[in-house]
Amino acid sequence: MTDNVTGSSPPARSTGRRRGDGIFRSMTTGSSLVIVVSIGLIGLFLLIQAVPSLQANTINFFTSAEWSTGDVGNLAFGIRDLLVVTVLSSLLALAIAMPIAMGIALFLTHYLPPKIAQPFAYVIDLLAAVPSIVFGLWGAKVLGPSLEPIATFLNENLSWIPLFSDGNVSLSGGGNIFTAGIVLAIMILPIITAVSREVFRQTPAMQIEGALALGATRWEMIRTTVLPFGRSGYIAGSMLGLGRALGETVAVLIILRSASSSSTFSFFDGGYTFASKIASAAPEFSEPLSTGAYIAAGLVLFVFTFAVNALARYIAGRGKAKAS
Amino acid sequence: MAKRFDIKDLNIYYGKFHAVSSVNLAVPPRNVTAFIGPSGCGKSTVLRSLNRMHEVAPGARVEGKVLLDGEDIYASTVDPVEVRRTIGMVFQRPNPFPTMSIRDNVVAGLKLAGVKNKKKLDEVAERSLRGANLWNEVKDRLDRPGGGLSGGQQQRLCIARAIAVQPDVLLMDEPCSALDPISTLAIEDLITELKKDFTIVIVTHNMQQAARVSDQTAFFNLLGVGQPGQLIEVDDTEKIFSNPSQKATEDYISGRFG
């Protein structure tokens, strides 16, 4: 009888444990589903709100630069300039931030002694905690005006390169993509640095020793081991930074001057990015059809950012598979 | 090529920690010297001080002299990078550069030294791979990544990489401890062949291996926890394993401790 009781108790306990497993499993599955479902719903919301306006649009949504949504009976909006300004400012930010972030990450992981590197790394991370409105104010009031001579110099001497030719706003005050790109570069520096630092740090010690034992200098060691090992992580980190730059709103809104004519594909253009355009009109979102035009722009930004992030994940995942 | 080492009163420190105390040792050329002893006795530390690799750890420093054919590698005018170019090293775990091809792995040291001539690099790659008994296994896939080889092949690739620069001395830090018996045998055979051309110093935990491959054996020991490691005895391998002059050596090789 006693035997019988003890014999039957383990299974009872194990079903109890299995129930616990089941609950835990549905909890974690549920939490992950929340993410997927909310992203899906956001996409769906954007699509549903955008479609009526897109149908009422009288000009080509992708190729025209005009934006007039005041008259609901005669909607005319196209995202060409928004796309140009968004892409130009983000790419400029990336071109500036990527080499600097790599330099900082290598310095922190392979040059500075760990004791000093840690506080230094905190300072970089602190940069990520500065509110973007502060970056915007600084860019518009301090950086922009002081960049004016440099911008003028570039414009005067390199105007044969289309990117440095005359823009559609005046150079004075620096309310152009050039300033915005530099501010964005500073804003995305922490994320790129943080990701790169992590992957550079993980370079296997035996690889590093192998290179040094062959008579590699520190830079040669970095070139033969750290950079190949960290390359995919560095690129993935840069893509995350690009995602941030594409979606940055308030700093760009404050910095960029509005332009009366359409984009000339120059760094000295003003205008709006997707995000700053939407934010600028937010107080007037009362008429569903005109609001839908902005939501359509938001949808394009959503898909664009999503694609950039997916690309980053793909590159990071591929690198991981290769390293193992 | 194939130079001799004379180690005189070598003391090694990591910060305040005294890791190895007054080692005196001569390593003759074209000869295999084995370092044996229990874990933590400083044998790997001494080995790493012979090509100034221990300096990679922060706070590491040495006192005393390490003479390579009479020239002190710790003289203030000597660049550690130059020392490492002329003294090859093979590590415990095979560490080929995973993103480089087999061929590029072998000639990595030469490329660092500035050799660019492709024909010359190809020649050296073949000669070194033959020297490491790996040529026949990889000659059809020299452009494939070195990380795709088996553990034993990777270790022979690392040996090929080390001998490609024609080093004065070849240091091996437990080169077989991560390998299976067959691969170990292949490496041991290789060591016996390599000593015709190179001076070899090998650290090993495997006393049979020391007895099989070395001409001279140095036994290191710890006198106690926190004490520096010491060189107890160095002699012909045959003598160390048959009739050592120190009791501690006899206890260790007969398996009474360690």
Side-chain angles (χ1 to χ4, degrees):
Chain A
M1 192 63 197
T2 333
D3 275 347
N4 215 350
V5 171
T6 46
S8 67
S9 90
R13 211 172 59 206
S14 90
T15 38
R17 199 184 300 155
R18 255 179 234 151
R19 194 178 305 132
D21 273 352
I23 293 170
F24 187 69
R25 192 178 144 158
S26 20
M27 257 168 61
T28 50
T29 315
S31 316
S32 342
L33 275 180
V34 167
I35 302 288
V36 178
V37 169
S38 12
I39 290 181
L41 286 179
I42 291 171
L44 197 66
F45 154 80
L46 291 173
L47 199 64
I48 290 173
Q49 298 281 313
V51 164
S53 307
L54 286 171
Q55 280 168 340
N57 194 3
T58 54
I59 57 176
N60 189 305
F61 178 62
F62 289 105
T63 57
S64 59
E66 203 186 324
W67 195 280
S68 78
T69 53
D71 179 5
V72 178
N74 187 21
L75 282 180
F77 58 95
I79 56 162
R80 194 200 75 180
D81 274 12
L82 303 182
L83 186 69
V84 169
V85 175
T86 305
V87 169
L88 274 187
S89 58
S90 299
L91 287 185
L92 178 62
L94 205 59
I96 296 170
M98 275 180 79
I100 297 178
M102 176 186 275
I104 297 175
L106 287 176
F107 183 63
L108 289 176
T109 50
H110 289 98
Y111 283 88
L112 271 191
K115 261 187 207 157
I116 313 174
Q118 201 54 53
F120 203 104
Y122 287 142
V123 176
I124 307 284
D125 290 343
L126 214 61
L127 211 55
V130 176
S132 50
I133 185 85
V134 174
F135 276 115
L137 288 171
W138 175 72
K141 296 295 162 203
V142 181
L143 186 70
S146 51
L147 279 176
E148 203 185 304
I150 302 174
T152 312
F153 174 84
L154 289 174
N155 178 232
E156 276 169 5
N157 293 286
L158 295 174
S159 59
W160 48 275
I161 303 172
L163 286 176
F164 293 108
S165 60
D166 290 341
N168 58 8
V169 292
S170 145
L171 280 174
S172 69
N176 47 38
I177 296 176
F178 187 62
T179 307
I182 292 174
V183 171
L184 285 175
I186 299 168
M187 295 177 74
I188 65 176
L189 203 54
I191 175 89
I192 307 181
T193 308
V195 174
S196 314
R197 204 175 67 211
E198 245 2 90
V199 290
F200 290 162
R201 200 209 310 280
Q202 284 166 10
T203 314
M206 56 182 211
Q207 299 286 330
I208 293 174
E209 293 202 323
L212 290 176
L214 275 179
T217 60
R218 197 184 289 254
W219 162 239
E220 287 165 340
M221 177 275 285
I222 286 172
R223 216 183 49 201
T224 48
T225 61
V226 178
L227 292 185
F229 180 83
R231 206 191 56 174
S232 59
Y234 169 66
I235 294 175
S238 305
M239 291 292 131
L240 289 179
L242 179 60
R244 261 208 79 181
L246 290 171
E248 176 49 43
T249 310
V250 76
V252 180
L253 178 65
I254 294 180
I255 293 168
L256 283 186
R257 224 176 246 233
S258 57
S260 49
S261 58
S262 60
S263 164
T264 62
F265 299 88
S266 156
F267 281 144
F268 305 122
D269 278 344
Y272 292 97
T273 64
F274 284 111
S276 71
K277 183 75 181 176
I278 297 167
S280 72
E284 294 139 39
F285 284 167
S286 49
E287 177 57 51
L289 267 185
S290 14
T291 309
Y294 291 94
I295 290 178
L299 179 63
V300 175
L301 178 62
F302 178 77
V303 171
F304 202 59
T305 318
F306 206 77
V308 166
N309 274 299
L311 188 68
R313 295 280 153 219
Y314 170 73
I315 292 170
R318 206 181 47 172
K320 213 173 281 169
K322 207 198 290 174
S324 62
Chain B
M1 273 224 304
K3 294 186 176 171
R4 61 176 290 123
F5 263 129
D6 290 289
I7 303 167
K8 295 192 172 159
D9 274 330
L10 184 70
N11 283 278
I12 306 173
Y13 302 85
Y14 288 112
K16 286 192 181 127
F17 176 62
H18 193 181
V20 180
S21 144
S22 19
V23 172
N24 282 286
L25 178 67
V27 176
R30 295 197 176 76
N31 193 297
V32 178
T33 300
F35 290 179
I36 60 169
S39 295
C41 67
K43 54 194 188 309
S44 283
T45 305
V46 172
L47 186 83
R48 291 165 67 89
S49 74
L50 297 181
N51 66 343
R52 299 186 66 169
M53 270 304 285
H54 74 293
E55 285 173 25
V56 172
R61 66 195 165 86
V62 302
E63 285 169 7
K65 283 186 171 160
V66 178
L67 304 176
L68 184 64
D69 267 10
E71 283 181 48
D72 188 1
I73 63 167
Y74 283 97
S76 57
T77 51
V78 174
D79 179 359
V81 169
E82 289 302 319
V83 172
R84 294 177 199 140
R85 272 185 194 170
T86 57
I87 298 176
M89 190 162 201
V90 177
F91 294 83
Q92 195 167 351
R93 295 184 150 273
N95 58 354
F97 302 123
T99 51
M100 280 188 201
S101 69
I102 291 171
R103 173 186 170 279
D104 286 346
N105 258 290
V106 178
V107 298
L110 282 178
K111 279 189 172 170
L112 287 175
V115 179
K116 291 204 174 69
N117 184 334
K118 190 179 175 302
K119 195 160 160 262
K120 161 110 174 131
L121 290 175
D122 282 339
E123 274 172 29
V124 173
E126 177 170 349
R127 192 185 65 217
S128 310
L129 285 168
R130 282 187 193 280
N133 287 338
L134 191 59
W135 175 253
N136 287 329
E137 292 158 61
V138 301
K139 62 182 175 197
D140 303 321
R141 45 176 170 157
L142 291 175
D143 291 324
R144 305 276 292 278
L149 299 172
S150 75
Q153 288 173 326
Q154 287 190 18
Q155 193 62 304
R156 276 180 282 151
L157 178 60
C158 291
I159 293 175
R161 183 174 71 181
I163 63 176
V165 292
Q166 296 285 312
D168 298 330
V169 182
L170 193 57
L171 306 176
M172 300 180 139
D173 191 356
E174 298 183 41
C176 303
S177 62
L179 304 182
D180 65 273
I182 306 274
S183 308
T184 299
L185 191 66
I187 304 266
E188 287 182 7
D189 288 346
L190 179 57
I191 291 171
T192 311
E193 271 175 51
L194 288 173
K195 78 172 178 181
K196 289 176 204 150
D197 297 313
F198 300 98
T199 308
I200 296 174
V201 184
I202 178 171
V203 167
T204 176
H205 264 297
N206 178 336
M207 278 179 279
Q208 286 76 26
Q209 182 169 67
R212 282 192 297 262
V213 302
S214 72
D215 305 300
Q216 168 181 260
T217 298
F219 171 63
F220 291 79
N221 201 3
L222 275 176
L223 294 183
V225 178
Q227 300 277 328
Q230 287 189 325
L231 173 61
I232 302 295
E233 180 173 6
V234 55
D235 214 326
D236 287 346
T237 299
E238 220 168 286
K239 176 142 189 308
I240 290 277
F241 282 94
S242 59
N243 183 23
S245 51
Q246 298 291 324
K247 173 127 193 340
T249 316
E250 191 177 350
D251 287 350
Y252 184 71
I253 58 166
S254 58
R256 243 166 282 178
F257 82 98

